[in-house]
Amino acid sequence: MQFMVNQVIQFWRSELEQVLPDKPDLIVLPESCESPSGLSTEEQFAFIRILKNQLIDFFASVAREHHCYIVFGAIREGENKVWRNSSILLDRKGNMAGIYHKNYPTIDEIKSGIVPGKEASVFECDFGRVACVVCFDLNFTELCAKYISQKPGIILFSSNFHGGLMESYWAYQCRSFFVGALESRYAPSEILNPQGEVIASSTNYFDFTVATINLDYCLAHLDYNWEKLQKLKEKYGNDVIITDPGKMGSVLITSRHATISAADMVKEFGIELLDHYLNRSQLFRNEQIKNSNP
């Protein structure tokens, strides 16, 4: 078992060496990344008891040395011998910045002893707010709704499956960037913008991807904003990016200005944000129904 522990640590050392030259602020790794493949459930739990904190300590040393956040999926035996499938977030000093327990383990996971989590908290990083999601969680819109109200800048998705259109759904519904890290090469690990568009992806040749994202952004609907968006672009030029994915009626406004945020820009021109517009539309519709004749 200890020999396998050493192999796992060496594997991740090799994998991380592919992305560390880019000096990332955040590294996202897959679900259950501590466990070798091919083990039975009993063998996996026995392996984890030998592993203890050895892999966490290794990741913490990388986070400290390279001054980056690392999030990774791990099955752990916690207090009162309760087994959890968790995402663990380490900060730039290698300290635990947050831990999320998978809210929706599969039936087989629960039968094997994994206890579902109930909390869905966001974690504050020095670059913004992040939320964690693990694999099967992506199927449940109830969990997505909990995160929508907390407004994370990035959804961190450690998984063994891709999720298909649900990746775009979560990114757009949460108005967040979405970073997926998958265990398998048979489906890509992707980074999506808040409009659900893929902006970076692993390939059949490279099992990692790297992207620079800008968390200074807002989403606005085109209705009532056409002329305001034009004036915004005329004033700020290359210091503002207005991204239209087409077919959706909304745009992503991103500030590249050194001192003026996207929020300041939209306020300056009175641009109505997407969520405000949708809420206003719903209230207007409800008021019309209330006042209309049956």
Side-chain angles (χ1 to χ4, degrees), residues 49-279:
R49 288 191 175 103
I50 297 297
L51 175 68
K52 295 182 179 178
N53 288 328
Q54 293 181 73
L55 186 61
I56 293 177
D57 291 343
F58 166 68
F59 287 145
S61 70
V62 174
R64 284 193 299 271
E65 180 181 354
H66 296 276
H67 194 59
C68 64
Y69 288 82
I70 299 177
V71 64
F72 60 96
I75 295 175
R76 303 178 71 210
E77 185 178 24
E79 297 179 0
N80 302 319
K81 297 185 177 180
V82 171
W83 289 93
R84 301 278 197 179
N85 186 344
S86 306
S87 278
I88 298 170
L89 176 66
L90 303 177
D91 66 17
R92 297 183 193 271
K93 296 181 179 180
N95 299 321
M96 188 176 293
I99 183 166
Y100 164 80
H101 301 308
K102 187 175 183 179
N103 275 214
Y104 293 93
T106 64
I107 292 173
D108 284 346
E109 282 184 284
I110 295 173
K111 285 182 176 179
S112 74
I114 300 295
V115 176
K118 295 183 289 185
E119 301 298 323
S121 302
V122 299
F123 306 114
E124 296 285 351
C125 301
D126 57 20
F127 52 78
R129 295 157 64 86
V130 302
C132 295
V133 184
V134 179
C135 199
F136 201 57
D137 282 339
L138 208 66
N139 292 294
F140 298 91
T141 56
E142 297 90 344
L143 180 59
C144 182
K146 291 181 180 179
Y147 283 136
I148 289 172
S149 63
Q150 299 182 77
K151 302 184 183 303
I154 313 176
I155 301 290
L156 308 178
F157 180 54
S158 297
S159 184
N160 282 319
F161 95 125
H162 184 278
L165 61 86
M166 294 303 290
E167 288 196 354
S168 296
Y169 174 87
W170 275 67
Y172 190 65
Q173 290 297 318
C174 292
R175 318 297 192 227
S176 306
F177 282 88
F178 184 102
V179 181
L182 276 61
E183 177 270 339
S184 173
R185 287 189 184 217
Y186 294 106
S189 296
E190 296 171 328
I191 301 172
L192 288 72
N193 70 15
Q195 292 173 309
E197 294 181 299
V198 176
I199 59 175
S201 176
S202 64
T203 69
N204 57 310
Y205 298 111
F206 295 96
D207 61 356
F208 66 94
T209 189
V210 179
T212 299
I213 63 175
N214 185 345
L215 294 179
D216 188 358
Y217 66 87
C218 299
L219 273 78
H221 201 278
L222 289 171
D223 286 355
Y224 308 106
N225 284 325
W226 286 93
E227 293 182 2
K228 298 173 184 177
L229 290 166
Q230 182 178 350
K231 291 178 180 178
L232 170 65
K233 188 64 177 177
E234 288 172 354
K235 177 173 181 178
Y236 287 103
N238 290 333
D239 285 332
V240 64
I241 302 172
I242 302 174
T243 306
D244 169 30
K247 305 176 183 178
M248 298 174 67
S250 63
V251 293
L252 180 68
I253 302 169
T254 306
S255 172
R256 297 198 298 186
H257 198 282
T259 59
I260 302 175
S261 68
D264 290 335
M265 289 179 179
V266 300
K267 183 178 181 180
E268 177 182 353
F269 288 92
I271 295 170
E272 187 175 21
L273 296 181
L274 175 61
D275 288 325
H276 186 276
Y277 175 63
L278 295 179
N279 290 335

